[in-house]
Amino acid sequence: MGTLKKTLKQNFDWDVTDLTPYTDEDSQDIARRAVFTGRTAALLTAQEVRGGNEKIKKFDSTVTYQAAACEATASGNDDWGQRFLDPVKVMVFKKFCNDDIKGFYPQKNLPMGAAAEMKELPFQDQVVNYILDKHSFEYDNLLWRGDKAGAGNLAFINGLKKKIDESPSAINANTAGTSSLTSSNAYNQFRLVARDLPSAIQVDGTGIMFCGLDAFNLLQDDLFDSNYFNFSMVDYENNRLTLPGTNVTVQAVPGLSGSAGEYGIYATSTENLFLGTSGDEGSAEVFYHQKDDAIYLRIQFYVDVNYAFADQIVKWNLGGS
């Protein structure tokens, strides 16, 4: 029996001297950076655009009482007005050649066949969804901080921040010139903004304050530190709450996120801000081009933003600017 065991050991031990250590590359999951996706677009009034100027149609009316009489005189004003959306066509365009990943682990996710392997992205759904998330972040920044005099992704339109800040009719809530936003003054500053909204917006349930995640977190810290633990979190996942003592929603957005309120706080009715959109900014085309033997990804859309009534918008900027 001992001889048999010795023989089996000698004849059947694995010889792995020609092998390298194994690394499992068959997982279908890929790691990706976290992305603060856009929140703003879904909260604006969408107006379909096709290129060229589009009108935001405005109407206002005053109601004036007078003593009843057989021959009354018409009174009050009924005004039609307009503001414009000037949409531009913007595109994200990428090109992929799968020959570039030969010899690397993404190759294992390609279909078999010399022709077939060129027609599909490795981990295609995950790659496309991640690019769309990154686009959502950049899009939100464009809607708020776009500046045609700027550079890069922000240079295509003038965003809401620039348009509101340049309007003399927008209400300035920081008349005291407060130069910092902290975890001890944030609630008071947000409350100033809410109280400066026209009374109709304060009570009708459409009031909303947009701010950066930095300002939003300072507000939450101030609420907790002040023992306001019963404040209403409308949607924690989307960084949204109702400001205690008001009927106004606070919404954190990527486009105003910076450091300690550096990009300000803006409040109005959700019905007063307009997004000129072609409706396709949230989708991507992925297609194979036989001549180039390459895969292309394209996101293409029209975009612009504007407000209807500046005197129904409250702004708060550091230093009161």
Side-chain angles (χ1 to χ4, degrees):
M1 186 69 176
T3 303
L4 177 59
K5 287 183 178 180
K6 183 177 180 180
T7 302
L8 288 172
K9 184 176 188 310
Q10 289 175 342
N11 292 340
F12 294 98
D13 270 359
W14 295 113
D15 184 353
V16 295
T17 55
D18 290 338
L19 300 182
T20 57
Y22 172 68
T23 301
D24 184 2
E25 296 180 346
D26 292 330
S27 172
Q28 295 302 301
D29 296 322
I30 57 174
R32 42 167 284 177
R33 293 180 182 273
V35 181
F36 186 10
T37 54
R39 306 287 193 269
T40 302
L43 296 170
L44 305 185
T45 298
Q47 184 163 319
E48 188 176 86
V49 295
R50 296 179 175 84
N53 284 341
E54 297 280 344
K55 294 178 181 177
I56 299 173
K57 304 172 185 67
K58 300 166 51 179
F59 178 72
D60 196 13
S61 180
T62 59
V63 175
T64 305
Y65 290 147
Q66 57 180 284
C70 292
E71 295 185 9
T73 301
S75 61
N77 298 314
D78 301 281
D79 300 323
W80 291 97
Q82 61 189 22
R83 286 183 61 80
F84 289 97
L85 292 164
D86 188 15
V88 296
K89 196 172 187 178
V90 184
M91 181 169 62
V92 177
F93 194 68
K94 291 179 175 288
K95 177 181 178 181
F96 305 94
C97 177
N98 284 344
D99 279 341
D100 295 337
I101 59 174
K102 295 292 180 63
F104 301 98
Y105 75 85
Q107 177 184 352
K108 300 189 69 173
N109 200 256
L110 297 176
M112 291 297 295
E117 69 180 9
M118 303 301 291
K119 298 179 181 180
E120 183 177 316
L121 292 173
F123 305 98
Q124 180 161 306
D125 289 345
Q126 296 178 69
V127 168
V128 172
N129 288 336
Y130 181 58
I131 292 172
L132 283 171
D133 283 349
K134 294 293 289 287
H135 158 58
S136 172
F137 171 81
E138 297 293 343
Y139 188 68
D140 205 279
N141 277 274
L142 177 63
L143 298 184
W144 280 106
R145 292 192 288 116
D147 186 342
K148 290 182 178 180
N153 288 353
L154 298 179
F156 288 92
I157 65 170
N158 288 328
L160 288 168
K161 177 175 174 59
K162 181 176 177 65
K163 289 177 177 177
I164 294 169
D165 286 349
E166 290 180 347
S167 171
S169 299
I171 302 164
N172 181 12
N174 191 10
T175 55
T178 301
S179 58
S180 64
L181 192 68
T182 70
S183 60
S184 59
N185 74 355
Y187 174 62
N188 285 335
Q189 300 307 311
F190 273 86
R191 186 169 56 183
L192 285 174
V193 175
R195 294 288 187 253
D196 277 348
L197 279 168
S199 57
I201 297 176
Q202 290 189 42
V203 301
D204 70 2
T206 66
I208 187 167
M209 283 187 277
F210 294 97
C211 65
L213 186 61
D214 48 303
F216 185 84
N217 287 338
L218 290 171
L219 172 61
Q220 288 189 95
D221 291 344
D222 197 5
L223 292 172
F224 281 121
D225 292 345
S226 301
N227 293 319
Y228 295 156
F229 294 110
N230 62 336
F231 68 89
S232 174
M233 181 64 75
V234 179
D235 186 347
Y236 193 83
E237 181 180 354
N238 288 307
N239 305 107
R240 186 182 305 161
L241 62 82
T242 299
L243 189 71
T246 76
N247 192 31
V248 180
T249 298
V250 180
Q251 173 67 65
V253 296
L256 293 173
S257 294
S259 175
E262 68 175 303
Y263 294 124
I265 304 165
Y266 295 86
T268 188
S269 165
T270 54
E271 299 173 356
N272 192 37
L273 299 179
F274 288 78
L275 170 66
T277 174
S278 46
D280 47 5
E281 65 275 357
S283 60
E285 297 176 88
V286 181
F287 54 94
Y288 169 73
H289 195 283
Q290 191 171 24
K291 181 180 178 181
D292 296 342
D293 211 14
I295 302 165
Y296 292 88
L297 179 145
R298 179 172 59 194
I299 305 168
Q300 192 166 228
F301 54 94
Y302 282 103
V303 63
D304 195 23
V305 285
N306 215 330
Y307 55 81
F309 301 98
D311 59 0
Q312 292 199 332
I313 302 174
V314 182
K315 64 178 183 178
W316 185 100
N317 284 310
L318 292 174
S321 59

